[in-house]
Amino acid sequence: MNANDTKRAAVGNGRPSRPICYYGDDFTGSTDVLEALFRSGMKPVLFLEPPSAGQLDGRFARADAFGVAGVGRSMSPEEMERELRPIFETLKGTGASIVHYKICSTFDSSPGTGS
């Protein structure tokens, strides 16, 4: 089964499911995931904030995957808790099979800031 086969599998709310959605903790990493998904044959789209159901069901209904480019890498753990929990709840609610959290690959964050 490829991405095109799985994208139309309905979820409980009747909307088409997407195989993957993700949150990137910085813009560069978010675009890296976007490119990897595209190179694997998917039709991804990237947002700067979580998309609404109307966006996903309307203009972007043909997207196989989507991501949200965020700024989690620059936040304290407390800020991340407040900011990211609602974003991940929104991503979970889309019915995607995989919700991925893309952290900075340089691993230069600290216990007080970043991933």
Side-chain angles (χ1 to χ4, degrees):
M1 179 180 275
N2 67 31
N4 292 326
D5 295 331
T6 60
K7 80 173 183 177
R8 292 295 166 207
V11 295
N13 59 11
R15 292 197 314 248
S17 176
R18 287 168 181 81
I20 187 169
C21 65
Y22 67 95
Y23 172 83
D25 70 354
D26 64 16
F27 191 77
T28 306
S30 299
T31 59
D32 287 345
V33 175
L34 184 76
E35 178 187 22
L37 293 171
F38 178 78
R39 287 176 157 258
S40 74
M42 298 182 85
K43 297 174 190 161
V45 63
L46 184 61
F47 297 92
L48 297 178
E49 58 187 36
S52 68
Q55 289 174 304
L56 292 175
D57 295 341
R59 181 175 180 192
F60 301 103
R62 298 186 68 153
D64 295 326
F66 71 92
V68 177
V71 294
R73 183 171 181 229
S74 65
M75 295 178 171
S76 70
E78 295 79 20
E79 292 169 319
M80 291 168 69
E81 178 69 26
R82 285 190 306 272
E83 179 82 11
L84 300 182
R85 185 169 297 278
I87 291 172
F88 281 113
E89 289 296 325
T90 299
L91 296 180
K92 180 181 173 185
T94 66
S97 300
I98 298 169
V99 177
H100 175 62
Y101 181 12
K102 197 290 184 196
I103 61 169
C104 181
S105 61
T106 59
F107 297 107
D108 60 355
S109 298
S110 73
T113 304
S115 28

